[in-house]
Amino acid sequence: MKNKLKVLRAERDWTQAQLAEALEVSRQTINAIEKGKFDPSLPLAFKAARLFKLSIEEIFQDEA
């Protein structure tokens, strides 16, 4: 799954650790999601969408 998490985080000058804290996950989870090695759970995707005030589809795109 492709995502814009790294770009959105950089636009706000947030570290992976700061984003992880805001989303209540580990920094390693953020790193894995940004690199496409891990797909977030639906609740985590919703939480990210609320944090960035975007729809889930604006952040995460299915590669199919």
Side-chain angles (χ1 to χ4, degrees):
M1 176 178 293
K2 295 194 299 184
N3 68 77
K4 296 181 184 175
L5 219 50
K6 187 173 185 175
V7 172
L8 294 168
R9 179 175 60 77
E11 287 174 353
R12 287 156 179 81
D13 256 352
W14 291 348
T15 64
Q16 286 183 341
Q18 289 169 317
L19 179 56
E21 186 176 334
L23 295 177
E24 301 176 305
V25 296
S26 70
R27 186 200 56 79
Q28 291 85 352
T29 298
I30 299 300
N31 186 47
I33 293 170
E34 286 184 356
K35 292 184 177 214
K37 295 180 178 179
F38 176 76
D39 290 338
S41 66
L42 196 51
L44 181 55
F46 272 108
K47 192 179 266 190
R50 282 193 300 273
L51 179 66
F52 290 112
K53 296 181 172 68
L54 297 169
S55 70
I56 290 175
E57 294 86 356
E58 289 175 295
I59 301 173
F60 302 99
Q61 299 84 37
D62 189 9
E63 294 184 67

